[in-house]
Amino acid sequence: MDKGESPAQPDLWARYAPWAAPAPQDTPPPPPADPRQRRARRRLVLAVALVSLLAGTAGGAAGARYEREGGPGVLVLPDAAPAPGDRPPGSLAGLAARTLPGVVTLHAAGDRESGTGTGFVLDRQGHILTNNHVVAPALNGGDLAVVFGGGQAVRAEVVGRDAGYDLAVVRVRGVRGLTALPLGDSDQVRVGDPVVAVGSPFDLANTVTSGIISAKERPVTAGGEGTGSGVAYVDALQTDAPINPGNSGGPLVDERGRVIGVNSAIRSADGAGTDEGSQAGSVGLGFAIPVNQARRVARELIEHGHASHPVIGVRLDPRTDGEGARIAAGKDAVTEDGPAGRAGLRPGDLVTRADGRPVTSGDDLIVRVRAHRPGDELRLTYRRDGHEHVTRLTLGSSRDS
């Protein structure tokens, strides 16, 4: 051993080197694994793999849905339910579908005024029934156009009109496939019957509203303003089906699609009766000319160009109100050979009932008379010198255009 060297020592760094190979040990080999343990381990591995596969699939689907529909908090609406097919014929939708093809919109324009109203087809010859006040602006050289539900517009001519009944018939030519609406029987209408009004309120064509007959035999006067409008006296059907300016002349139909009235007037919020020319809106009080009266007048307008009016041959005192219709004073107030004169009525008599229904004014009596036709018999109750009398008379005829 050289001087300066220390005795040999074991290499202490070797035991701390992490990369040093472990010293061989004299240890026995591990015992072989139990076959049951090997099968359990394989099953565990397969289960872990299956869970991982399912989790991946679910995660992918969730990610795709997140991308398609949005994240948490986004409302996902269900798909629309399948739409039903054709509506039953007795439903409102079915009724409207049958009625609309026979309803038209009328545009009347003259030098000083214009207006919009409604009408409906009477026959395949092109005759259309509407209100007189609807066509009045087109008189004396104005323009009158009829627009069908599909948008076809044609010029029309006035065949005949009557201011006293507020009815007019116009005609279109060269239009094929016209749908005439069936006419019902207004005498068979009852309060509470369901009805549908069709028309063009405020020029909104093909508008359908529904309601009921809320009253019958309402004495209504309307018109009196504008060109050729006159004053109409109507023994009207009352309805709560919404009717507005522009509905005038349109059909009021029953639950079977038959026309039972011609929509003509409304009661405005201030209590005044108004026709289509007013801009008042519906307050649930609409009035229609009974179709039985309209049918007769329309036939006469088509055949003769004018209609006849039933008359009793008296001049009424307009100052009476609320207690009946008083015949004016003076010898000429009762036509001597007229219906009233032959029935024994005299100047100054106060008519209080017509066919058993109360009469409250002169206009009321005119309405009751106009509800009939010339040749009908009318029973009148009247007072003279404090005594009540009853008489019967046969209505005469006059013409008023």
Side-chain angles (χ1 to χ4, degrees):
M1 191 168 52
D2 293 335
K3 186 178 178 180
E5 293 181 358
S6 58
Q9 298 290 334
D11 189 357
L12 298 178
W13 290 104
R15 69 182 69 176
Y16 293 105
W19 53 83
Q25 300 289 331
D26 293 332
T27 56
D34 189 335
R36 289 178 296 180
Q37 293 179 346
R38 288 199 300 270
R39 287 195 297 270
R41 284 197 297 269
R42 284 198 297 269
R43 286 196 295 269
L44 179 61
V45 171
L46 290 174
V48 171
L50 180 60
V51 170
S52 299
L53 177 61
L54 293 175
T57 302
R65 183 172 181 180
Y66 186 96
E67 181 179 356
R68 183 176 65 252
E69 301 178 353
V74 176
L75 178 64
V76 179
L77 298 177
D79 293 336
D86 293 338
R87 299 320 193 254
S91 67
L92 287 177
L95 182 61
R98 298 196 309 274
T99 304
L100 283 170
V103 181
V104 302
T105 302
L106 291 95
H107 297 281
D111 293 337
R112 297 183 178 181
E113 57 182 326
S114 62
T116 299
T118 306
F120 60 93
V121 178
L122 287 174
D123 55 35
R124 294 188 176 182
Q125 285 70 48
H127 292 111
I128 293 169
L129 184 62
T130 186
N131 283 139
N132 175 68
H133 74 259
V134 170
V135 304
L139 301 177
N140 303 319
D143 293 324
L144 181 63
V146 170
V147 182
F148 290 85
Q152 181 183 12
V154 296
R155 296 180 65 86
E157 60 179 346
V158 178
V159 174
R161 65 184 187 88
D162 189 282
Y165 287 115
D166 194 19
L167 290 170
V169 173
V170 305
R171 187 176 186 182
V172 296
R173 298 182 185 273
V175 180
R176 297 183 178 180
L178 292 174
T179 300
L181 297 186
L183 305 183
D185 183 357
S186 52
D187 289 343
Q188 300 303 315
V189 172
R190 298 292 180 266
V191 173
D193 284 349
V195 290
V196 168
V198 185
S200 303
F202 298 103
D203 205 12
L204 298 173
N206 302 326
T207 296
V208 178
T209 57
S210 65
I212 62 169
I213 294 294
S214 49
K216 294 178 59 178
E217 300 173 342
R218 290 291 198 208
V220 174
T221 58
E225 300 178 0
T227 304
S229 60
V231 177
Y233 299 89
V234 181
D235 197 29
L237 298 173
Q238 179 182 313
T239 179
D240 66 348
I243 296 174
N244 289 287
N247 273 114
S248 286
L252 185 70
V253 301
D254 63 14
E255 59 186 344
R256 296 175 61 182
R258 302 169 303 183
V259 179
I260 58 171
V262 181
N263 301 318
S264 299
I266 62 175
R267 183 72 65 179
S268 63
D270 61 4
T274 117
D275 57 28
E276 184 271 343
S278 168
Q279 291 303 303
S282 172
V283 292
L285 291 173
F287 304 97
I289 301 169
V291 75
N292 288 3
Q293 185 178 79
R295 180 191 288 109
R296 177 185 70 83
V297 174
R299 183 182 296 114
E300 292 187 11
L301 293 177
I302 293 172
E303 294 177 353
H304 309 295
H306 58 80
S308 60
H309 292 193
V311 296
I312 61 175
V314 300
R315 181 167 53 86
L316 299 175
D317 185 346
R319 293 173 297 179
T320 58
D321 185 20
E323 59 176 350
R326 187 174 297 278
I327 299 175
K331 294 181 59 176
D332 61 346
V334 178
T335 304
E336 185 175 351
D337 60 348
R342 292 193 297 268
L345 289 168
R346 301 176 186 174
D349 288 346
L350 183 69
V351 180
T352 57
R353 304 181 80 84
D355 281 340
R357 294 164 55 191
V359 172
T360 60
S361 67
D363 285 350
D364 199 359
L365 178 59
I366 295 173
V367 169
R368 303 304 181 201
V369 171
R370 290 281 178 88
H372 294 76
R373 65 184 67 198
D376 286 353
E377 187 179 82
L378 182 66
R379 181 166 57 91
L380 295 180
T381 302
Y382 64 96
R383 287 206 305 265
R384 180 190 299 165
D385 299 329
H387 299 284
E388 189 171 84
H389 307 272
V390 177
T391 188
R392 294 181 181 273
L393 55 83
T394 300
L395 296 171
S397 176
S398 72
R399 180 170 66 88
D400 179 15
S401 59

